[in-house]
Structures are given as C-alpha cells and as structure tokens.
C-alpha cells in the first residue's frame, strides 16, 4: 500500500535541486533496513505528481569503493601498502576492515603488457620483477563471502631498482614436513663462518593494516646455529599459518635477511606410510594398522580424517594371484576365508580425502597360514565346552525341581492310607498326617466293673464307674479290640469264682 504523506520526510540538501541526482547519505540511519524514496518535479508554482516509490536496502545496493594504494621500490622489490576503502570515513558501512580480501593487478609498462594478478595482504611485497623497469599497479577490495567485488583503485606506477646479490644471505629456503615434524632447509652462499638465526611470524599479523616488522620471533633451538637446517616443530599448531625467514650474521656488524616462506601446517605437512602388523585366527587374516606418526600423534589421527587402502595377495610361485584391494576407516581389517598353508602379503596406504593427500605404501608384510587341520579341532573343543556348561547348569536345576515335586506330592497327594480302625474312628477320615482334623472326635460312654473279694466271705462287690463323654485327640491311642477282650476275661473269671 502507498505510504501516507505524514510518514515522508524531505531530504536535506535535496530540495529544489537543478540536476537529476542527489546525495542522501546523511539520511541513511540503518544500512540493513529498507528505505523508501520518491521524487517529484517543480516548475514555478506547478508541482508534478510523486514518482513511484523506490524501495532499497543500503547494504544490498551499495558498492565497495576503491581502496588506497602506496608503493615503495627497494632492492629490486616492490612493497605494496593498501588501506581499506572507508579508511577516512567517519561513518562506515563495513565496520570490520579485516574481512576484505585484496586483489592486486600489475603489469610492466611496455608496448605489450601482460597482466598478472595476486591476492595480497594489506602490507605485502612483490618479488621477481625485472630490474630498472616500470610497473603499474591497481588494487580492489572484495568480500568473497558476500559475493561482492569492489572498484579498482586509480593506477599507480613505480620503477624497480637493481637488486644486490648479497652472498651472506641464506638462499633457496624450503620446508620439509612429514607427520607434523617440520624442518626448514636453506643453502649457504658463502663458505666462511656464518651464524644463522631462524625467525617466525604468526600469519594473522599480516592481515592487519599495521606495521608488523617488530612482531618476528626467534625459533627456540635455532638461534646462532651454523647448520643449514632447523627443526621448528615446537612452534607449530593447527590453528593458523606462519612465515619463516633466516637471518645470516657475519661477525657483529653485517647481517642479511632471506626471503620469507609461508607454512600452512595442515596443507604443508605430508602423510607418511602407516605401520602394519598381521595376525591369524581360524580362517581370518587380521590386519592391524598403526596411524602415520604413531598412535600418540593426535594431529594426524584427528585432523586428517584418515582412511586406509589395503592391498593383499597370495605370494605363491606356482600361480599368479591378482592383487585385491579394500578400503577401511578403522585401523583393524580382516580378510576372510584365507587358504591353509599359504603365504599372504599385505601393504597399506593412508590417505585423506578432505586434504587430497596420500602417503606412500607401507613395507610389504607377509604371514604363512597353518595347515587346515586346526579348524575341526577348535569346533570340537567348542562343542564339548558348551556341552559341559549345559550339564553343569541343567543338572542342579532338574534336581531342585524334582525335590520340590516330591514334597508337593507328599503333602497334597499322599500315597499311603491310614488303618481302618483309625480311618473310621469318629466317622472322620484322615487324608494327611500333616492336616488337622476338621471336627472334634466323639468318644462313646463306657462303664468299668471292678470285682473285689474279701476274706470274710465270698461276697462280690460291684463298683460302677461311669465316664462322661469326652473329647480327646489322644483317644486313638487305645484300641477298642483290647478293651473288649479285657472285659471278656474279667467276666469269665468272675463266673468261675461265683461257681
């Protein structure tokens, strides 16, 4: 929808202008917010309608201006000093000057110039230029992450000088790096006694616009040495890059600095061959791999994301076997179904896909497989062992279950029946010796007759003892048969006496 008139503001310095342009930079408040602009014309007292509204975001439409450029010619080398595009502005659109990447274009000022391009730091040097020649330079500032390319600076030209070849300086600097062990090598141009001091500079200093000449540091154990090599592994980390140079000194007064060499540790370093060890078990060939530099080298193991390419083959003179290959990420690999009584050989290569680096192959390792009688014995041994374990576990379990079954059967389902005189006593059957009677047992009333004979006469006295009915759990201890037989015997004796 069209904005209301109350929300519009006139731009200072852009009222009643005669041209067709207007600088409204002072009206920009936020570079990342949308702004709306409209224009109308005035001719005397007459006013035209407003134009269509232009919507724009300053950060999106703004171009990167040209940076500043200064040149110095010294000893055949051109020193280039670049200042950011908004170095002299109070208000900046790109606050972080370190985000700029500078592209330098230069050529020899001749009838057939050949353009050369180079990415440089704010303070950098250009070598390998022809002496006593005029070269022209221009530079642009870019923002690669945002896809923006700036405008080129005005062209500046300078004449190179004659380079003096100082035989004292160290020459042909090179870096030899393997498994994160770094060595700097150089050539001595003089055979006289010369002492060398190796210095390094942290790479981020060159990204700044300041002078870094006093930021060079000496490499420990590489100060005042006479050899033409230096082990600088102690200063290396994986978080940045470095520059190294060699200062040659003769006596106390004369010295010379070599050219600088750049070291980006993870890119400069080389990957050495891994270690290999072979082992056998049954029909499997085990390949044990040691990472390059040893298992304690965490940088090689963690930063390169190493993989391993394994070559293995049968080393037999009777027949030629093709070389087989497999790739693994782990440091342990297996080759199945190896043949008995056969010589197998293996060699391994380490490689890193992220860095596109690979090592040389390891030394060839071989192992001879045993005869093919071992496997059945091992299988038989495993079977007997498993059978013994089953017997030791199952037998006690079966015994415990059997005992529990017998106890339950004895209590709830007894196999023997009680005698008839006990079973019928009190008309209450017994089902188990461990279960109590459901009701009290009844006892019949009985009568005991005692006989007494006195000396004075054959007088018989009958005494009648009546027993009341009584409930007792011990009544089963007396047998009815015994009581009956006892009563009969007393009665016969009594009749005989009476007779």
């Amino acid at each position: 929808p069209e904005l209301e008139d109350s929300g519009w503001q006139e731009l200072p310095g852009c009222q009643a202008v005669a041209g067709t342009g207007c600088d409204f930079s002072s009206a920009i408040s936020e570079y990342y917010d949308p702004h709306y602009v409209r224009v109308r014309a005035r001719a005397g007292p007459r006013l035209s309608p407003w134009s269509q509204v232009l919507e724009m975001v300053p950060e999106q439409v703004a171009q990167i201006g040209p940076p500043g450029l200064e040149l110095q010619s010294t000893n055949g080398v051109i020193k280039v000093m670049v200042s950011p595009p908004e170095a002299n502005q109070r208000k900046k659109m790109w606050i972080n000057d370190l985000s700029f990447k500078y592209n330098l274009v230069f050529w020899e000022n001749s009838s057939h110039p050949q353009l050369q391009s180079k990415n440089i730091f704010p303070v950098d040097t250009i070598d390998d230029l022809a002496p006593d020649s005029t070269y022209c330079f221009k530079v642009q500032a870019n923002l690669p992450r945002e896809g923006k390319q700036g405008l080129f600076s005005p062209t500046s030209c300078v004449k190179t000088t004659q380079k003096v070849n100082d035989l004292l300086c160290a020459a042909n600097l090179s870096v030899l790096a393997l498994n994160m062990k770094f060595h700097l090598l150089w050539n001595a141009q003089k055979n006289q006694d010369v002492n060398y001091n190796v210095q390094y500079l942290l790479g981020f200093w060159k990204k700044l616009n300041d002078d870094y000449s006093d930021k060079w540091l000496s490499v420990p154990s590489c100060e005042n040495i006479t050899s033409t090599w230096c082990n600088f592994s102690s200063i290396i980390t994986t978080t940045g890059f470095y520059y190294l140079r060699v200062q040659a000194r003769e006596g106390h007064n004369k010295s010379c600095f070599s050219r600088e060499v750049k070291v980006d540790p993870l890119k400069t370093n080389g990957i050495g061959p891994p270690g290999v060890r072979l082992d056998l078990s049954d029909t499997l060939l085990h390949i044990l791999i040691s990472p390059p530099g040893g298992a304690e080298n965490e940088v090689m193991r963690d930063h390169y994301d190493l993989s391993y390419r394994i070559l293995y083959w049968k080393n037999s003179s009777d027949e030629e076997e093709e070389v087989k290959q497999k790739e693994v990420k782990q440091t342990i690999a297996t080759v199945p179904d190896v043949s008995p009584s056969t010589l197998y050989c293996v060699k391994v290569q380490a490689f890193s896909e992220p860095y596109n680096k690979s090592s040389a192959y390891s030394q060839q390792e071989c192992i001879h497989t045993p005869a093919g009688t071992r496997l059945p014995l091992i299988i038989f041994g495993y079977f007997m062992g498993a059978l013994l374990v089953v017997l030791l576990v199952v037998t006690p379990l079966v015994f415990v279950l059997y005992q529990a079954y017998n106890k339950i059967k004895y209590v709830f389902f007894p196999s023997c029946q009680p005698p008839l005189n006990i079973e019928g006593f009190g008309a209450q059957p017994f089902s188990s010796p461990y279960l109590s009677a459901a009701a009290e047992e009844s006892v019949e009333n009985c009568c005991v007759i005692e006989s007494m004979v006195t000396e004075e006469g054959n007088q018989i006295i009958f005494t009648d003892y009546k027993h009341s009915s009584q409930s007792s759990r011990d009544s089963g201890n007396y047998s009815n048969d015994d009581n009956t037989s006892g009563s009969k015997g007393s009665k016969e004796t009594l009749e005989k006496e009476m007779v």
Side-chain angles (χ1 to χ4, degrees):
E2 186 175 348
L3 298 177
E4 297 180 359
D5 290 344
S6 60
W8 291 92
Q9 298 179 8
E10 293 185 353
L11 295 175
C14 293
Q15 303 175 21
V17 294
T20 57
C22 171
D23 183 3
F24 62 99
S25 304
S26 60
I28 301 297
S29 57
E30 295 292 338
Y31 292 127
Y32 299 94
D33 293 341
H35 290 65
Y36 303 91
V37 182
R38 66 182 182 179
V39 181
R40 70 179 177 180
R42 179 190 296 271
R46 292 180 301 171
L47 292 175
S48 70
W50 288 105
S51 66
Q52 291 184 348
V53 176
L54 172 65
E55 179 183 358
M56 63 92 184
V57 178
E59 189 271 337
Q60 294 179 358
V61 302
Q63 285 186 303
I64 302 174
L69 177 63
E70 294 184 20
L71 303 173
Q72 289 182 2
S73 179
T74 306
N75 194 23
V77 176
I78 302 298
K79 184 177 181 180
V80 180
M81 294 166 287
V82 181
S83 56
E86 300 175 305
N88 299 324
Q89 294 182 205
R90 181 182 61 85
K91 193 174 183 180
K92 296 183 178 182
M93 178 169 292
W94 294 282
I95 300 175
N96 185 13
D97 295 336
L98 300 180
S99 60
F100 287 115
K101 305 297 181 183
Y102 298 103
N103 178 37
L104 181 69
V105 176
F106 58 98
W107 62 94
E108 186 177 0
N109 192 7
S110 62
S111 57
H112 301 286
Q114 293 182 351
L115 296 180
Q116 301 183 55
S117 179
K118 182 180 180 180
N119 293 325
I120 62 171
F121 293 108
V123 179
D124 214 330
T125 57
I126 308 300
D127 302 319
D128 300 328
L129 299 178
D132 298 325
S133 301
T134 300
Y135 284 85
C136 296
F137 300 83
K138 63 179 181 179
V139 65
Q140 69 176 162
N142 301 324
L143 293 174
R145 292 186 178 180
E146 302 177 17
K148 284 183 173 291
Q149 290 186 341
L151 302 175
F152 276 97
S153 65
T155 301
S156 300
C157 298
V158 67
K159 187 176 181 179
T160 59
T161 60
Q162 192 73 27
K163 185 175 183 180
V164 178
N165 186 16
D166 193 342
L167 296 179
L168 181 64
C169 295
N172 301 327
L173 271 68
S174 61
V175 175
L176 177 62
L178 188 66
N179 295 339
M180 297 306 292
K181 303 297 182 183
F182 292 84
H183 292 81
L184 179 66
L185 311 176
W186 63 90
N187 293 334
Q189 300 187 81
K190 294 184 66 175
N191 295 327
Q192 300 178 4
D193 293 336
V194 179
N195 292 331
Y196 299 101
N197 182 29
V198 181
Q199 298 178 341
Y200 72 97
L201 176 72
L202 298 177
F204 78 90
W205 288 112
K206 286 203 171 189
K207 293 183 177 181
L208 307 179
N209 297 314
D210 301 330
D211 184 13
Y212 54 82
S213 58
D214 59 342
K215 305 300 182 181
W216 289 88
L217 302 173
S218 296
V219 177
S221 72
C222 292
E223 301 176 84
N224 297 324
I225 59 176
T226 58
S227 60
T228 57
W229 63 272
C230 165
N231 184 349
F232 61 97
S233 305
S234 59
I235 68 168
I236 294 297
T237 64
T238 58
T239 56
F241 58 99
Y242 304 82
Y243 285 88
L244 285 95
R245 68 183 184 184
V246 178
Q247 181 187 26
R249 185 181 298 276
E250 185 179 30
H252 298 282
N253 300 324
K254 189 177 181 181
S255 65
C256 176
F257 287 100
S258 67
R259 295 176 59 178
E260 301 172 5
V261 59
K262 181 181 178 180
V263 177
D264 191 339
L266 293 178
K267 293 181 180 180
T268 306
N269 179 56
I271 301 177
V276 180
R277 186 166 60 88
L278 303 180
D279 192 12
L280 287 171
S281 65
D282 300 339
T283 59
L284 298 177
L285 171 62
H286 299 281
I287 304 172
L288 309 178
I289 304 172
S290 300
E296 70 281 356
N297 197 327
E298 298 180 358
V299 175
M300 297 296 298
R301 184 179 68 249
D302 300 337
H303 288 76
Y304 281 103
D305 190 22
L306 292 173
S307 300
Y308 301 96
R309 185 175 293 112
I310 302 173
L311 302 181
Y312 62 97
W313 65 95
K314 294 180 181 179
N315 194 352
S316 175
S317 58
D318 299 336
E319 53 180 326
E320 288 195 13
E321 292 282 343
E322 63 173 326
V323 177
K324 297 181 181 180
Q325 174 180 310
K326 67 184 306 183
E327 294 182 0
V328 296
K329 294 284 293 183
Q330 301 81 9
T331 55
I332 298 178
T334 58
V335 176
D337 302 329
V338 293
S339 303
S341 302
T342 305
L343 183 64
Y344 281 88
C345 294
V346 176
K347 59 181 180 180
V348 181
Q349 179 189 44
F351 64 95
S352 172
E353 291 184 353
Y355 287 89
N356 194 23
K357 289 178 175 290
S358 59
S359 72
Y361 277 96
S362 65
Q363 292 184 353
Q364 177 178 307
E365 295 290 332
C366 298
I367 190 171
H368 197 280
T369 58
T373 58
R374 183 183 176 189
L375 183 59
L377 294 177
I378 293 178
I379 295 177
F380 178 75
Y382 285 160
F383 173 76
M384 294 303 297
L387 182 62
L388 180 61
V389 170
V390 170
L391 291 176
L392 293 177
V393 173
V394 174
T395 302
L397 181 60
V398 171
F399 177 78
V400 171
L401 292 177
Y402 179 75
Q403 292 296 326
Y405 169 76
N406 286 339
K407 291 293 183 183
I408 294 173
K409 183 178 179 183
Y410 178 71
V411 173
F412 293 100
F413 307 99
S415 59
C416 60
Q417 297 295 331
L420 294 177
N421 56 347
I422 297 178
E423 184 176 0
F425 185 80
Q428 179 65 35
F430 289 86
S431 60
S432 173
Y434 295 96
L435 300 179
S436 60
E440 293 183 352
E441 300 171 357
S442 60
V443 180
E444 294 182 354
N445 294 331
C446 56
C447 179
V448 178
I449 301 175
E450 295 183 359
S451 61
M452 182 181 299
V453 180
T454 60
E455 296 179 357
E456 296 179 356
N458 295 331
Q459 184 180 2
I460 301 174
I461 300 174
F462 295 91
T463 305
D464 187 2
Y465 297 93
K466 293 183 178 181
H467 297 267
S468 61
S469 177
Q470 177 179 336
S471 175
S472 172
R473 296 188 56 86
D474 297 333
S475 60
N477 294 333
Y478 300 95
S479 173
N480 292 334
D481 295 339
D482 294 340
N483 292 338
T484 305
S485 60
S487 300
K488 290 181 179 180
S490 300
K491 186 177 180 180
E492 293 176 355
T493 306
L494 181 59
E495 289 179 353
K496 290 180 179 181
E497 291 177 355
M498 292 178 63
V499 173

